[in-house]
């Protein structure tokens, strides 16, 4: 499976291949395009599924690419959700590390 995290909504390759003289190699795969989930943001944030939650964080990261204050607000919102869930401490730390890596803010 390929998880496509780019912003190009219509780009959805389902294979990759290359050729060298006398040989051809082709790989076909199912895809998950993260932009397909933009309209399900609230549902993803309400989910206990870590991958769904990280998908929501990725979507918020893309939406706030040039807006530092909006990114800060989105990151704070995600943090509050993490703590409100009363999840295991290590799970919160792990998910926060992903959020912190995705949603970088200026000093």
């Amino acid at each position: 499976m390929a998880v496509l995290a780019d912003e190009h909504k219509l780009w959805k390759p389902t294979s990759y291949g290359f050729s060298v003289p006398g040989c051809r190699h082709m790989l076909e795969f199912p895809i998950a395009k993260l932009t397909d989930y933009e309209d399900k943001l609230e549902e993803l944030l309400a989910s206990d599924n870590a991958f769904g939650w990280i998908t929501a964080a990725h979507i918020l990261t893309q939406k706030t690419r040039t807006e530092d204050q909006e990114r800060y607000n989105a990151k704070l919102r995600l943090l509050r959700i993490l703590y409100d869930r009363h999840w295991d401490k290590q799970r919160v730390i792990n998910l926060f590390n992903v959020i912190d890596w995705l949603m970088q803010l200026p000093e």
Side-chain angles (χ1 to χ4, degrees), residues 30-99:
I31 64 163
K33 184 80 172 186
L34 298 186
T35 56
D36 290 346
Y37 296 91
E38 286 178 351
D39 60 339
K40 297 179 180 175
L41 181 61
E42 295 306 317
E43 183 180 328
L44 292 168
L45 289 171
S47 171
D48 282 336
N49 180 304
F51 188 75
W53 211 82
I54 292 169
T55 299
H58 174 77
I59 290 167
L60 288 170
T61 300
Q62 286 185 325
K63 286 184 175 191
T64 60
R65 182 170 307 254
T66 60
E67 303 292 330
D68 292 341
Q69 186 62 47
E70 290 301 313
R71 178 165 291 182
Y72 173 82
N73 293 340
K75 192 171 183 178
L76 186 59
R77 177 183 179 201
L78 291 172
L79 254 173
R80 286 184 175 141
I81 291 170
L82 278 178
Y83 284 105
D84 287 347
R85 294 280 172 81
H86 304 291
W87 283 336
D88 172 78
K89 180 181 177 181
Q90 191 59 52
R91 185 177 191 189
V92 170
I93 290 169
N94 293 343
L95 288 170
F96 177 76
N97 286 336
V98 173
I99 293 166

